[in-house]
């Protein structure tokens, strides 16, 4: 049974009213040793000590050349994210997903950006069910119906590419699959409005428009 005290848009309420299965509440599990970074891979400033460079005091306007490098890094991260999500299956651990993604990243000559960022011990982030974000891959086996979110970030040619997506592991139920679909459709709808001069508020307005109407 789901109890909510907030006011939700009509479509969100339709999702909440579906039959809901019992989901496993994910707790702490064993985190294995960190993987090795090959010597040929270019590393960011925090690779050794875990401390990132100070943020600039002003907005950093990228040059055309930097933008092209950002596109390459973003495409690489997106490609590896898709492969990692496709690779996930029931019975596999998120630690296995980390190793799989790590190998793809370093074989591409890139650095797995989460690794040692403020001490983060793994190469990707994996958040399952109740884990909000930036979960640490561990030895818990994935179960049928788990909602898995994966963050893949790479440092390539001096710039970062970063992306995240999710999927239902195994078959799942109508609620889980609908939620993942709604989230993905929301992202794609909002990306259309991301352009120079656009206000950040257009993102929230777009989502509310999509799911406040029949």
């Amino acid at each position: 049974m789901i109890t909510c005290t907030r006011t939700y848009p009509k479509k969100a309420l339709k999702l909440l009213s579906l039959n809901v299965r019992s989901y496993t509440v994910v707790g702490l599990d064993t985190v294995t040793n960190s993987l090795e970074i090959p010597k040929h891979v270019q590393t960011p400033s925090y690779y050794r000590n875990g401390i990132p460079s100070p943020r600039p005091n002003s907005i950093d306007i990228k040059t055309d050349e930097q933008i092209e490098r950002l596109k390459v890094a973003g495409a690489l991260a997106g490609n590896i994210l898709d492969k990692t999500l496709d690779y996930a299956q029931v019975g596999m651990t998120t630690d296995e997903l980390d190793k799989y993604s790590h190998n793809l990243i370093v074989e591409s000559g890139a650095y797995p950006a989460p690794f040692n960022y403020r001490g983060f011990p793994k190469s990707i982030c994996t958040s399952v069910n109740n884990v909000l974000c930036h979960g640490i891959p561990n030895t818990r086996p994935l179960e049928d119906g788990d909602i898995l979110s994966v963050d893949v970030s790479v440092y390539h040619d001096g710039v970062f590419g970063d992306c995240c997506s999710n999927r239902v592991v195994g078959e799942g139920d109508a609620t889980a699959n609908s939620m993942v679909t709604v989230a993905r459709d929301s992202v794609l709808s909002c990306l259309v409005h991301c352009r120079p001069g656009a206000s950040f508020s257009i993102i929230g307005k777009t989502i509310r428009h999509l799911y406040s109407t029949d």
Side-chain angles (χ1 to χ4, degrees), residues 56-62 200:
N57 293 322
S58 59
I59 296 175
D60 184 17
I61 304 299
K62 306 299 182 184
F200 279 123

Side-chain angles (χ1 to χ4, degrees), residues 21 88-90 142-146 167-173 177:
R21 56 170 286 172
Q89 58 184 301
V90 175
L142 293 169
E143 300 176 4
D144 180 71
D146 279 347
R167 60 162 289 188
V168 177
V169 180
E171 296 297 325
D173 62 9
N177 283 287

Side-chain angles (χ1 to χ4, degrees), residues 43-71:
T43 57
S45 61
Y46 55 84
Y47 167 57
R48 295 291 182 189
N49 60 13
I51 302 174
S53 300
R55 295 180 180 180
N57 293 322
S58 59
I59 296 175
D60 184 17
I61 304 299
K62 306 299 182 184
T63 65
D64 290 342
E65 186 271 337
Q66 287 174 317
I67 290 173
E68 289 305 311
R69 285 191 282 135
L70 285 166
K71 289 180 180 179

Side-chain angles (χ1 to χ4, degrees), residues 5 21 31 52 126 151 177 197 204:
T5 57
R21 56 170 286 172
V31 176
T126 54
D151 296 76
N177 283 287

Side-chain angles (χ1 to χ4, degrees), residues 84-106:
T84 302
L85 288 171
D86 288 343
Y87 187 67
Q89 58 184 301
V90 175
M92 180 178 292
T93 67
T94 51
D95 188 63
E96 291 177 83
L97 292 180
D98 180 74
K99 292 176 182 176
Y100 175 77
S101 184
H102 175 93
N103 288 334
L104 290 176
I105 293 170
V106 297

Side-chain angles (χ1 to χ4, degrees), residues 17-203:
S17 67
L18 296 171
N19 292 328
V20 180
R21 56 170 286 172
S22 296
Y23 292 92
T24 300
V25 175
V26 177
L28 299 176
D29 279 89
T30 303
V31 176
T32 62
N33 293 334
S34 301
L35 301 172
E36 296 292 329
I37 303 295
K39 292 182 179 181
H40 71 275
V41 171
Q42 181 185 7
T43 57
S45 61
Y46 55 84
Y47 167 57
R48 295 291 182 189
N49 60 13
I51 302 174
S53 300
R55 295 180 180 180
N57 293 322
S58 59
I59 296 175
D60 184 17
I61 304 299
K62 306 299 182 184
T63 65
D64 290 342
E65 186 271 337
Q66 287 174 317
I67 290 173
E68 289 305 311
R69 285 191 282 135
L70 285 166
K71 289 180 180 179
V72 172
L76 175 61
N79 180 263
I80 293 174
L81 174 62
D82 288 342
K83 290 181 178 179
T84 302
L85 288 171
D86 288 343
Y87 187 67
Q89 58 184 301
V90 175
M92 180 178 292
T93 67
T94 51
D95 188 63
E96 291 177 83
L97 292 180
D98 180 74
K99 292 176 182 176
Y100 175 77
S101 184
H102 175 93
N103 288 334
L104 290 176
I105 293 170
V106 297
E107 286 170 4
S108 300
Y111 178 90
F115 184 81
N116 206 33
Y117 180 85
R118 300 192 183 278
F120 192 85
K122 292 295 181 177
S123 297
I124 61 173
C125 301
T126 54
S127 306
V128 181
N129 295 346
N130 55 292
V131 180
L132 180 62
C133 65
H134 301 157
I136 301 174
N138 57 42
T139 57
R140 174 191 177 273
L142 293 169
E143 300 176 4
D144 180 71
D146 279 347
I147 299 176
L148 168 68
S149 176
V150 176
D151 296 76
V152 172
S153 304
V154 302
Y155 180 71
H156 180 269
D157 198 14
V159 297
F160 293 91
D162 179 54
C163 54
C164 174
S165 190
N166 54 25
R167 60 162 289 188
V168 177
V169 180
E171 296 297 325
D173 62 9
T175 302
N177 283 287
S178 294
M179 186 176 71
V180 169
T181 299
V182 165
R184 184 172 294 115
D185 288 348
S186 297
V187 170
L188 295 176
S189 298
C190 292
L191 285 175
V192 174
H193 300 287
C194 294
R195 60 174 66 92
S199 170
F200 279 123
S201 63
I202 192 63
I203 295 174

